Protein backbone atom coordinates (compact mmCIF):
# COMPACT_ATOMS: atom_id res chain seq x y z
CA UNK A 1 0.00 0.00 0.00
CA UNK A 2 1.42 3.48 -0.86
CA UNK A 3 2.14 5.87 1.96
CA UNK A 4 -0.29 8.37 0.49
CA UNK A 5 -3.06 5.77 0.18
CA UNK A 6 -2.66 4.89 3.85
CA UNK A 7 -3.03 8.52 4.82
CA UNK A 8 -6.17 8.79 2.74
CA UNK A 9 -7.58 5.89 4.74
CA UNK A 10 -6.61 7.56 8.01
CA UNK A 11 -8.21 10.82 6.88
CA UNK A 12 -11.49 9.06 6.05
CA UNK A 13 -11.51 7.21 9.35
CA UNK A 14 -10.91 10.30 11.45
CA UNK A 15 -13.58 12.39 9.77
CA UNK A 16 -15.98 9.40 10.09
CA UNK A 17 -17.97 10.60 7.10
CA UNK A 18 -17.86 10.15 3.29
CA UNK A 19 -15.42 12.72 1.83
CA UNK A 20 -15.96 14.62 -1.45
CA UNK A 21 -13.37 16.80 -3.21
CA UNK A 22 -12.62 18.31 -6.57
CA UNK A 23 -9.56 17.33 -8.57
CA UNK A 24 -7.83 20.57 -7.50
CA UNK A 25 -8.61 19.91 -3.85
CA UNK A 26 -7.25 16.38 -4.21
CA UNK A 27 -3.87 17.74 -5.28
CA UNK A 28 -3.84 19.99 -2.18
CA UNK A 29 -4.65 16.99 0.02
CA UNK A 30 -1.86 14.94 -1.54
CA UNK A 31 0.63 17.74 -1.04
CA UNK A 32 -0.22 18.20 2.64
CA UNK A 33 -0.21 14.48 3.39
CA UNK A 34 3.14 14.02 1.66
CA UNK A 35 4.56 16.78 3.84
CA UNK A 36 3.06 15.29 7.03
CA UNK A 37 4.28 11.75 6.43
CA UNK A 38 7.70 12.51 4.96
CA UNK A 39 10.30 10.21 6.51
CA UNK A 40 7.78 8.45 8.75
CA UNK A 41 7.95 4.64 8.84
CA UNK A 42 4.46 3.35 9.70
CA UNK A 43 4.88 0.03 11.50
CA UNK A 44 3.04 -3.02 10.22
CA UNK A 45 1.67 -1.30 7.11
CA UNK A 46 3.75 -2.99 4.40
CA UNK A 47 5.24 0.43 3.37
CA UNK A 48 9.03 0.58 2.97
CA UNK A 49 11.38 3.58 2.84
CA UNK A 50 11.21 3.66 -0.97
CA UNK A 51 7.44 3.79 -1.01
CA UNK A 52 7.07 0.28 -2.50
CA UNK A 53 3.49 -0.79 -3.11
CA UNK A 54 1.44 -3.65 -1.78
CA UNK A 55 -1.70 -4.78 -3.62
CA UNK A 56 -4.75 -3.82 -1.58
CA UNK A 57 -8.42 -3.08 -1.76
CA UNK A 58 -10.10 -0.33 0.22
CA UNK A 59 -13.70 -1.36 0.11
CA UNK A 60 -16.65 0.53 1.47
CA UNK A 61 -14.86 3.89 1.92
CA UNK A 62 -14.89 5.26 -1.60
CA UNK A 63 -11.40 4.06 -2.66
CA UNK A 64 -11.12 1.55 -5.50
CA UNK A 65 -7.44 1.87 -6.45
CA UNK A 66 -4.30 3.92 -5.97
CA UNK A 67 -5.80 6.53 -8.28
CA UNK A 68 -9.12 6.70 -6.42
CA UNK A 69 -10.43 10.17 -5.66
CA UNK A 70 -10.92 11.39 -2.09
CA UNK A 71 -14.45 12.65 -1.54
CA UNK A 72 -15.32 15.22 1.11
CA UNK A 73 -18.79 16.17 2.34
CA UNK A 74 -17.82 19.82 2.43
CA UNK A 75 -21.08 21.09 3.94
CA UNK A 76 -20.54 18.80 6.93
CA UNK A 77 -16.91 19.99 7.19
CA UNK A 78 -17.93 23.65 7.14
CA UNK A 79 -20.53 22.98 9.85
CA UNK A 80 -18.11 21.15 12.15
CA UNK A 81 -14.95 23.20 11.39
CA UNK A 82 -15.99 26.87 10.79
CA UNK A 83 -13.42 29.57 10.11
CA UNK A 84 -10.76 27.50 8.37
CA UNK A 85 -7.42 28.78 7.15
CA UNK A 86 -8.46 29.13 3.54
CA UNK A 87 -6.28 26.31 2.21
CA UNK A 88 -9.40 24.98 0.48
CA UNK A 89 -12.02 27.18 -1.14
CA UNK A 90 -14.57 26.01 1.51
CA UNK A 91 -12.56 27.26 4.48
CA UNK A 92 -11.02 24.06 6.01
CA UNK A 93 -7.38 23.03 5.93
CA UNK A 94 -6.56 19.35 5.83
CA UNK A 95 -4.21 19.99 8.78
CA UNK A 96 -7.16 21.25 10.82
CA UNK A 97 -9.13 18.14 10.00
CA UNK A 98 -6.31 15.76 10.89
CA UNK A 99 -4.83 17.59 13.85
CA UNK A 100 -1.31 16.47 14.78
CA UNK A 101 0.65 14.26 12.33
CA UNK A 102 0.22 10.53 12.79
CA UNK A 103 3.58 8.85 13.34
CA UNK A 104 5.30 5.84 14.84
CA UNK A 105 4.57 6.70 18.47
CA UNK A 106 0.83 6.91 17.83
CA UNK A 107 0.79 3.55 16.08
CA UNK A 108 2.70 1.86 18.90
CA UNK A 109 0.48 3.37 21.58
CA UNK A 110 -2.65 2.13 19.82
CA UNK A 111 -1.52 -1.52 19.76
CA UNK A 112 -3.02 -4.00 22.28
CA UNK A 113 -1.04 -5.48 25.14
CA UNK A 114 -0.41 -9.26 25.16
CA UNK A 115 -3.08 -9.55 27.88
CA UNK A 116 -5.59 -7.65 25.72
CA UNK A 117 -4.83 -9.89 22.74
CA UNK A 118 -5.29 -12.97 24.95
CA UNK A 119 -8.65 -11.65 26.17
CA UNK A 120 -9.74 -10.87 22.60
CA UNK A 121 -8.81 -14.43 21.62
CA UNK A 122 -10.88 -15.85 24.49
CA UNK A 123 -13.80 -13.61 23.58
CA UNK A 124 -13.65 -14.94 20.02
CA UNK A 125 -13.59 -18.51 21.30
CA UNK A 126 -16.53 -17.88 23.60
CA UNK A 127 -18.47 -16.40 20.70
CA UNK A 128 -18.22 -19.82 19.04
CA UNK A 129 -18.81 -21.98 22.13
CA UNK A 130 -15.12 -22.83 22.59
CA UNK A 131 -14.28 -23.26 18.88
CA UNK A 132 -12.03 -20.92 16.90
CA UNK A 133 -12.90 -22.41 13.49
CA UNK A 134 -16.27 -24.06 13.97
CA UNK A 135 -17.58 -26.90 11.81
CA UNK A 136 -21.02 -28.56 11.99
CA UNK A 137 -21.88 -32.00 10.57
CA UNK A 138 -24.48 -31.45 7.84
CA UNK A 139 -25.74 -35.04 7.47
CA UNK A 140 -28.89 -37.05 8.10
CA UNK A 141 -27.20 -39.59 10.41
CA UNK A 142 -23.44 -39.65 11.07
CA UNK A 143 -20.38 -38.27 9.28
CA UNK A 144 -17.44 -40.69 9.08
CA UNK A 145 -14.16 -39.50 10.58
CA UNK A 146 -11.15 -41.20 8.98
CA UNK A 147 -7.51 -41.52 9.96
CA UNK A 148 -6.35 -40.17 6.56
CA UNK A 149 -8.02 -37.95 3.95
CA UNK A 150 -9.27 -40.75 1.72
CA UNK A 151 -12.56 -42.59 1.24
CA UNK A 152 -10.92 -45.90 2.15
CA UNK A 153 -9.17 -44.45 5.21
CA UNK A 154 -9.57 -46.27 8.52
CA UNK A 155 -12.59 -45.13 10.54
CA UNK A 156 -11.62 -43.48 13.83
CA UNK A 157 -15.02 -42.12 14.85
CA UNK A 158 -18.37 -40.70 13.86
CA UNK A 159 -19.59 -37.10 13.92
CA UNK A 160 -23.35 -37.28 14.56
CA UNK A 161 -25.83 -35.05 12.76
CA UNK A 162 -25.42 -31.41 13.90
CA UNK A 163 -22.40 -32.22 16.10
CA UNK A 164 -19.57 -29.67 16.26
CA UNK A 165 -15.85 -29.86 15.56
CA UNK A 166 -12.75 -27.68 15.39
CA UNK A 167 -11.58 -27.37 11.78
CA UNK A 168 -7.78 -27.50 11.98
CA UNK A 169 -7.21 -27.13 8.24
CA UNK A 170 -8.99 -27.82 4.97
CA UNK A 171 -8.08 -28.24 1.32
CA UNK A 172 -11.67 -27.86 0.11
CA UNK A 173 -12.16 -31.62 -0.28
CA UNK A 174 -11.12 -32.96 3.12
CA UNK A 175 -11.10 -31.17 6.44
CA UNK A 176 -8.76 -32.09 9.29
CA UNK A 177 -10.95 -31.84 12.39
CA UNK A 178 -11.01 -32.49 16.11
CA UNK A 179 -14.19 -33.16 18.08
CA UNK A 180 -14.38 -34.46 21.62
CA UNK A 181 -11.81 -37.27 21.85
CA UNK A 182 -11.63 -37.82 18.09
CA UNK A 183 -9.21 -36.30 15.57
CA UNK A 184 -9.21 -37.15 11.87
CA UNK A 185 -10.55 -36.21 8.44
CA UNK A 186 -14.07 -35.65 7.14
CA UNK A 187 -15.47 -34.79 3.72
CA UNK A 188 -15.97 -31.04 3.27
CA UNK A 189 -19.11 -31.83 1.27
CA UNK A 190 -20.94 -32.65 4.51
CA UNK A 191 -19.43 -30.00 6.79
CA UNK A 192 -20.80 -26.51 7.44
CA UNK A 193 -18.20 -23.85 8.24
CA UNK A 194 -18.03 -20.08 8.62
CA UNK A 195 -21.28 -18.12 8.87
CA UNK A 196 -23.38 -21.18 7.96
CA UNK A 197 -21.90 -23.16 10.86
CA UNK A 198 -22.43 -20.27 13.30
CA UNK A 199 -26.06 -19.89 12.24
CA UNK A 200 -26.75 -23.62 12.59
CA UNK A 201 -24.95 -23.75 15.95
CA UNK A 202 -27.13 -20.95 17.35
CA UNK A 203 -30.14 -23.19 16.72
CA UNK A 204 -28.47 -26.26 18.27
CA UNK A 205 -26.51 -25.07 21.30
CA UNK A 206 -27.61 -26.62 24.60
CA UNK A 207 -26.88 -25.45 28.13
CA UNK A 208 -25.22 -28.30 30.05
CA UNK A 209 -24.63 -28.81 33.78
CA UNK A 210 -21.50 -30.91 34.39
CA UNK A 211 -21.35 -32.67 37.77
CA UNK A 212 -18.28 -31.61 39.79
CA UNK A 213 -18.71 -33.83 42.87
CA UNK A 214 -18.27 -37.59 43.35
CA UNK A 215 -21.98 -38.38 43.54
CA UNK A 216 -24.65 -35.74 43.06
CA UNK A 217 -28.16 -36.10 44.46
CA UNK A 218 -30.93 -35.43 41.96
CA UNK A 219 -34.10 -34.20 43.66
CA UNK A 220 -37.74 -33.89 42.65
CA UNK A 221 -37.98 -30.32 43.98
CA UNK A 222 -35.56 -27.46 44.64
CA UNK A 223 -34.95 -28.10 48.33
CA UNK A 224 -32.95 -30.49 50.49
CA UNK A 225 -36.10 -31.99 52.02
CA UNK A 226 -37.26 -33.21 48.63
CA UNK A 227 -37.10 -36.85 47.51
CA UNK A 228 -33.76 -38.02 46.09
CA UNK A 229 -34.61 -39.48 42.70
CA UNK A 230 -31.18 -40.85 41.83
CA UNK A 231 -27.43 -40.23 42.11
CA UNK A 232 -25.32 -38.92 39.22
CA UNK A 233 -21.53 -39.48 39.07
CA UNK A 234 -18.73 -36.95 38.68
CA UNK A 235 -18.29 -35.68 35.12
CA UNK A 236 -21.79 -36.64 33.95
CA UNK A 237 -23.62 -34.00 31.95
CA UNK A 238 -27.26 -32.99 32.36
CA UNK A 239 -29.25 -30.71 30.07
CA UNK A 240 -30.26 -27.47 31.76
CA UNK A 241 -33.86 -26.29 31.68
CA UNK A 242 -33.17 -23.13 33.69
CA UNK A 243 -31.06 -21.92 36.65
CA UNK A 244 -33.22 -21.22 39.71
CA UNK A 245 -31.14 -19.50 42.37
CA UNK A 246 -29.17 -22.06 44.38
CA UNK A 247 -30.63 -24.83 42.22
CA UNK A 248 -30.56 -25.79 38.57
CA UNK A 249 -33.58 -27.33 36.89
CA UNK A 250 -32.31 -30.08 34.56
CA UNK A 251 -33.58 -32.89 32.38
CA UNK A 252 -33.12 -36.42 33.68
CA UNK A 253 -34.05 -38.18 30.46
CA UNK A 254 -37.61 -36.89 29.89
CA UNK A 255 -38.21 -35.62 33.46
CA UNK A 256 -37.50 -32.15 34.88
CA UNK A 257 -35.63 -32.43 38.18
CA UNK A 258 -33.27 -30.34 40.35
CA UNK A 259 -29.60 -30.38 41.33
CA UNK A 260 -27.64 -28.06 43.59
CA UNK A 261 -25.94 -25.26 41.64
CA UNK A 262 -22.95 -25.58 43.99
CA UNK A 263 -21.96 -28.96 42.56
CA UNK A 264 -22.33 -28.37 38.82
CA UNK A 265 -20.63 -26.24 36.20
CA UNK A 266 -23.04 -24.73 33.70
CA UNK A 267 -21.86 -24.09 30.11
CA UNK A 268 -23.33 -23.72 26.63
CA UNK A 269 -22.17 -26.67 24.51
CA UNK A 270 -22.60 -28.38 21.18
CA UNK A 271 -22.61 -32.12 20.50
CA UNK A 272 -19.28 -33.80 19.70
CA UNK A 273 -17.95 -36.89 17.96
CA UNK A 274 -18.31 -40.52 19.06
CA UNK A 275 -15.13 -42.61 19.27
CA UNK A 276 -14.86 -46.04 17.68
CA UNK A 277 -14.43 -47.46 21.20
CA UNK A 278 -17.90 -46.20 21.96
CA UNK A 279 -19.18 -47.99 18.87
CA UNK A 280 -17.43 -51.33 19.37
CA UNK A 281 -18.07 -54.31 21.64
CA UNK A 282 -16.23 -56.64 23.93
CA UNK A 283 -14.72 -59.92 22.80
CA UNK A 284 -16.69 -63.14 22.94
CA UNK A 285 -20.11 -61.56 22.37
CA UNK A 286 -22.55 -63.60 20.26
CA UNK A 287 -23.30 -62.54 16.70
CA UNK A 288 -26.94 -61.93 17.61
CA UNK A 289 -25.99 -59.52 20.38
CA UNK A 290 -23.51 -57.69 18.16
CA UNK A 291 -26.06 -57.48 15.36
CA UNK A 292 -28.76 -56.17 17.72
CA UNK A 293 -26.47 -53.44 19.03
CA UNK A 294 -25.36 -52.47 15.53
CA UNK A 295 -29.00 -52.26 14.49
CA UNK A 296 -29.85 -50.12 17.53
CA UNK A 297 -27.05 -47.68 16.63
CA UNK A 298 -28.43 -47.13 13.15
CA UNK A 299 -31.03 -44.86 14.74
CA UNK A 300 -28.61 -42.79 16.83
CA UNK A 301 -29.77 -39.16 16.86
CA UNK A 302 -33.33 -39.90 15.76
CA UNK A 303 -36.09 -38.12 17.70
CA UNK A 304 -37.65 -38.92 21.05
CA UNK A 305 -41.46 -38.90 20.95
CA UNK A 306 -43.44 -39.77 24.08
CA UNK A 307 -45.60 -42.83 23.39
CA UNK A 308 -43.90 -43.42 20.02
CA UNK A 309 -42.49 -46.68 18.66
CA UNK A 310 -41.07 -45.50 15.31
CA UNK A 311 -37.31 -45.88 15.04
CA UNK A 312 -37.19 -43.13 12.42
CA UNK A 313 -40.03 -40.73 13.23
CA UNK A 314 -39.79 -40.99 17.01
CA UNK A 315 -40.01 -43.32 19.99
CA UNK A 316 -39.86 -43.09 23.76
CA UNK A 317 -37.48 -45.25 25.81
CA UNK A 318 -39.60 -48.42 25.98
CA UNK A 319 -40.97 -47.91 22.46
CA UNK A 320 -37.40 -47.81 21.15
CA UNK A 321 -36.47 -51.02 23.01
CA UNK A 322 -39.57 -52.95 21.93
CA UNK A 323 -39.03 -51.95 18.28
CA UNK A 324 -35.37 -53.05 18.36
CA UNK A 325 -36.20 -56.43 19.94
CA UNK A 326 -39.17 -56.95 17.61
CA UNK A 327 -36.72 -57.35 14.71
CA UNK A 328 -35.27 -60.38 16.55
CA UNK A 329 -38.63 -62.02 17.16
CA UNK A 330 -39.03 -60.87 20.77
CA UNK A 331 -42.26 -59.15 21.86
CA UNK A 332 -42.07 -56.69 24.74
CA UNK A 333 -44.75 -54.44 26.28
CA UNK A 334 -44.68 -50.65 25.78
CA UNK A 335 -43.69 -49.84 29.36
CA UNK A 336 -40.28 -49.78 31.00
CA UNK A 337 -41.73 -51.01 34.27
CA UNK A 338 -43.39 -53.95 32.54
CA UNK A 339 -40.27 -54.74 30.47
CA UNK A 340 -38.28 -55.01 33.72
CA UNK A 341 -40.36 -58.10 34.61
CA UNK A 342 -39.24 -60.02 31.50
CA UNK A 343 -36.13 -62.17 31.17
CA UNK A 344 -33.60 -62.93 33.90
CA UNK A 345 -32.34 -60.49 36.51
CA UNK A 346 -28.53 -60.09 36.51
CA UNK A 347 -25.98 -57.71 38.03
CA UNK A 348 -24.47 -54.77 36.19
CA UNK A 349 -21.08 -56.51 36.28
CA UNK A 350 -22.60 -59.45 34.38
CA UNK A 351 -24.18 -57.30 31.66
CA UNK A 352 -23.40 -58.07 28.03
CA UNK A 353 -24.28 -56.09 24.89
CA UNK A 354 -28.01 -56.48 24.29
CA UNK A 355 -29.04 -56.70 27.96
CA UNK A 356 -31.43 -54.09 29.37
CA UNK A 357 -30.65 -51.63 32.13
CA UNK A 358 -33.48 -49.93 34.01
CA UNK A 359 -33.50 -46.63 35.87
CA UNK A 360 -36.10 -44.90 38.00
CA UNK A 361 -37.42 -42.18 40.22
CA UNK A 362 -36.44 -43.31 43.69
CA UNK A 363 -37.15 -47.05 43.52
CA UNK A 364 -39.84 -46.79 40.83
CA UNK A 365 -38.65 -47.82 37.35
CA UNK A 366 -39.45 -45.28 34.63
CA UNK A 367 -36.65 -45.57 32.05
CA UNK A 368 -34.91 -48.32 30.06
CA UNK A 369 -31.75 -48.51 27.93
CA UNK A 370 -29.91 -51.16 25.91
CA UNK A 371 -26.42 -52.02 27.16
CA UNK A 372 -23.92 -51.91 24.25
CA UNK A 373 -20.69 -52.88 26.04
CA UNK A 374 -17.77 -50.77 27.21
CA UNK A 375 -19.78 -49.38 30.11
CA UNK A 376 -22.29 -47.67 27.82
CA UNK A 377 -25.97 -47.78 26.88
CA UNK A 378 -28.04 -46.53 23.97
CA UNK A 379 -31.50 -45.17 24.69
CA UNK A 380 -34.25 -42.77 23.65
CA UNK A 381 -33.40 -40.18 26.27
CA UNK A 382 -35.36 -36.94 25.93
CA UNK A 383 -37.08 -34.64 23.43
CA UNK A 384 -33.91 -32.52 23.23
CA UNK A 385 -31.34 -35.28 22.64
CA UNK A 386 -33.37 -38.06 21.02
CA UNK A 387 -31.66 -41.46 20.76
CA UNK A 388 -28.17 -41.21 22.19
CA UNK A 389 -25.29 -43.09 23.84
CA UNK A 390 -24.62 -42.54 27.56
CA UNK A 391 -22.52 -44.07 30.31
CA UNK A 392 -24.36 -47.01 31.87
CA UNK A 393 -24.08 -45.29 35.26
CA UNK A 394 -25.11 -41.82 34.04
CA UNK A 395 -27.74 -42.26 36.76
CA UNK A 396 -28.11 -45.03 39.33
CA UNK A 397 -29.27 -48.30 37.68
CA UNK A 398 -32.13 -49.99 39.54
CA UNK A 399 -32.24 -53.29 37.67
CA UNK A 400 -30.43 -55.19 34.90
CA UNK A 401 -32.28 -57.84 32.87
CA UNK A 402 -31.14 -60.39 30.29
CA UNK A 403 -33.69 -60.93 27.52
CA UNK A 404 -31.45 -62.59 24.93
CA UNK A 405 -30.46 -66.08 26.05
CA UNK A 406 -27.56 -66.37 23.56
Amino acid sequence: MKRKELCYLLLCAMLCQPLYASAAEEETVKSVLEEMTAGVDLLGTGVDEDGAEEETQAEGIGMESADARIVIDQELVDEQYPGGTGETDKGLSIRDALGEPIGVAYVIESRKTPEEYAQAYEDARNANWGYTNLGIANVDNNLNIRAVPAEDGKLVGKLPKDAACEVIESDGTWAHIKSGKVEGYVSCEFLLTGVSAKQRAEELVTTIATVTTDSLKVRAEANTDSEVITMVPNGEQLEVVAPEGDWVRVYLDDEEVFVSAEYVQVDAKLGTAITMTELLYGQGVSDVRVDLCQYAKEFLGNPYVWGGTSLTKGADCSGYVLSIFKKYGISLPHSSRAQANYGTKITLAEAQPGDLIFYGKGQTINHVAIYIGGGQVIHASSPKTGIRISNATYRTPLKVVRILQV
Side-chain angles (χ1 to χ4, degrees):
M1 178 186 289
K2 288 183 178 180
R3 191 187 309 271
K4 288 180 285 187
E5 292 172 355
L6 175 64
C7 293
Y8 296 167
L9 287 170
L10 293 171
L11 173 61
C12 294
M14 294 187 69
L15 292 180
C16 299
Q17 293 288 339
L19 305 177
Y20 299 90
S22 66
E25 290 169 335
E26 181 182 0
E27 291 303 315
T28 301
V29 171
K30 289 180 179 178
S31 175
V32 173
L33 290 176
E34 286 173 351
E35 177 187 341
M36 291 169 60
T37 59
V40 176
D41 181 16
L42 296 177
L43 298 181
T45 63
V47 181
D48 60 21
E49 292 295 332
D50 298 324
E53 297 185 49
E54 228 179 301
E55 289 293 329
T56 186
Q57 289 185 344
E59 298 178 351
I61 56 172
M63 298 182 65
E64 297 178 356
S65 69
D67 298 324
R69 298 164 65 90
I70 297 180
V71 278
I72 299 178
D73 187 339
Q74 194 64 57
E75 290 184 2
L76 177 66
V77 169
D78 287 341
E79 179 181 337
Q80 295 185 359
Y81 297 90
T85 62
E87 291 185 34
T88 71
D89 59 5
K90 293 292 184 178
L92 172 72
S93 74
I94 300 303
R95 288 185 190 277
D96 289 338
L98 281 175
E100 293 300 316
I102 299 173
V104 175
Y106 178 87
V107 174
I108 292 175
E109 289 172 2
S110 70
R111 296 173 66 184
K112 294 180 184 296
T113 65
E115 292 77 13
E116 289 172 330
Y117 277 120
Q119 184 58 52
Y121 176 78
E122 285 304 312
D123 291 343
R125 283 175 55 85
N126 293 336
N128 287 307
W129 306 282
Y131 297 89
T132 55
N133 192 5
L134 177 66
I136 298 289
N138 188 29
V139 290
D140 291 332
N141 293 304
N142 296 284
L143 179 57
N144 290 330
I145 306 174
R146 301 186 181 277
V148 296
E151 291 184 3
D152 59 352
K154 178 184 176 182
L155 282 175
V156 293
K158 300 270 188 177
L159 195 62
K161 175 184 178 181
D162 293 331
C165 66
E166 179 72 29
V167 180
I168 299 169
E169 60 181 349
S170 172
D171 63 8
T173 302
W174 291 92
H176 182 192
I177 64 109
K178 185 172 183 180
S179 179
K181 301 175 183 178
V182 186
E183 182 174 342
Y185 296 84
V186 299
S187 171
C188 292
E189 181 182 356
F190 305 106
L191 191 68
L192 296 178
T193 57
V195 174
S196 297
K198 182 72 177 288
Q199 290 174 337
R200 178 71 65 83
E202 286 173 347
E203 300 171 1
L204 300 170
V205 67
T206 300
T207 305
I208 297 294
T210 303
V211 178
T212 58
T213 188
D214 287 342
S215 188
L216 178 63
K217 294 176 180 178
V218 178
R219 297 184 182 273
E221 301 295 337
N223 61 75
T224 55
D225 295 328
S226 177
E227 171 193 3
V228 175
I229 294 173
T230 191
M231 306 291 286
V232 177
N234 194 334
E236 196 61 52
Q237 297 182 338
L238 301 166
E239 299 166 68
V240 172
V241 179
E244 298 188 7
D246 294 335
W247 297 84
V248 181
R249 185 192 295 266
V250 297
Y251 282 111
L252 185 66
D253 295 318
D254 58 348
E255 292 183 86
E256 292 187 13
V257 293
F258 294 86
V259 294
S260 172
E262 182 180 354
Y263 302 110
V264 294
Q265 179 178 327
V266 177
D267 301 289
K269 292 189 176 183
L270 296 162
T272 54
I274 301 169
T275 67
M276 290 307 295
T277 301
E278 292 170 324
L279 293 168
L280 297 177
Y281 315 95
Q283 303 248 336
V285 179
S286 72
D287 290 342
V288 172
R289 288 177 176 272
V290 170
D291 190 68
L292 183 143
C293 291
Q294 291 279 25
Y295 179 63
K297 290 177 183 178
E298 289 180 17
F299 308 103
L300 192 64
N302 283 358
Y304 174 101
V305 174
W306 189 86
T309 59
S310 172
L311 296 172
T312 54
K313 296 181 179 179
D316 58 16
C317 65
S318 59
Y320 172 65
V321 168
L322 78 83
S323 294
I324 294 297
F325 276 78
K326 183 178 179 181
K327 175 176 166 57
Y328 298 87
I330 298 171
S331 296
L332 294 173
H334 194 175
S335 161
S336 58
R337 197 177 308 173
Q339 288 175 0
N341 294 322
Y342 279 62
T344 305
K345 183 179 178 181
I346 59 174
T347 66
L348 182 60
E350 295 172 317
Q352 293 185 6
D355 290 335
L356 299 182
I357 299 182
F358 295 88
Y359 307 88
K361 184 175 183 179
Q363 295 301 309
T364 303
I365 288 172
N366 64 4
H367 193 73
V368 60
I370 301 172
Y371 185 66
I372 57 173
Q376 296 185 313
V377 294
I378 188 167
H379 57 139
S381 177
S382 74
K384 293 191 74 174
T385 61
I387 298 169
R388 69 170 178 174
I389 291 173
S390 301
N391 292 325
T393 56
Y394 77 99
R395 55 191 287 195
T396 306
L398 294 184
K399 191 174 184 179
V400 183
V401 167
R402 175 160 296 160
I403 303 292
L404 296 172
Q405 299 302 321
V406 291

